[in-house]
Amino acid sequence: MSEEFDFADKVPPSFYEMGNKIIYETEAKGLNPGLIVLLVVVGLLLIFLVGNYVLYTYAQKTLPPRKKKPVSKKKMKRERLKQGVSAPGE
């Protein structure tokens, strides 16, 4: 391991052609693909939520109110007995 590498003093050709130029990071031209995906997802979510709200308000205006479940006869008797009124037929 005492011997040095043969290519230690040589520069790879791709770096040799560049010389002493320093490469600075340039700003991306156009929109970042991640940003585009984010905008599409947020836009679809917003459309979904607004559409649900519009359908909800439309349904509230146009649909009739739900009917209540009929009260059973057993419960009717119990309520009448609580109020002190005897049920008919007793």
Side-chain angles (χ1 to χ4, degrees):
M1 294 278 253
S2 63
E3 63 186 59
E4 293 290 322
F5 293 110
D6 292 337
F7 57 86
D9 60 341
K10 295 180 182 176
V11 178
S14 61
F15 292 113
Y16 181 73
E17 293 171 3
M18 289 177 17
N20 290 332
K21 294 179 184 176
I22 298 174
I23 299 174
Y24 294 103
E25 288 188 25
T26 58
E27 291 187 28
K29 295 177 182 174
L31 293 176
N32 186 359
L35 181 64
I36 293 172
V37 170
L38 182 68
L39 289 174
V40 167
V41 169
V42 169
L44 289 175
L45 182 66
L46 192 64
I47 289 170
F48 175 75
L49 292 174
V50 169
N52 274 346
Y53 178 73
V54 168
L55 285 174
Y56 176 76
T57 54
Y58 175 74
Q60 290 295 317
K61 290 177 184 175
T62 57
L63 293 178
R66 280 193 259 171
K67 294 181 181 178
K68 295 181 181 178
K69 288 185 178 179
V71 181
S72 68
K73 291 181 182 180
K74 194 174 187 180
K75 286 185 182 177
M76 291 280 285
K77 280 184 183 180
R78 252 191 253 146
E79 288 295 320
R80 286 185 182 164
L81 286 174
K82 281 182 186 177
Q83 293 175 0
V85 178
S86 63
E90 290 184 3

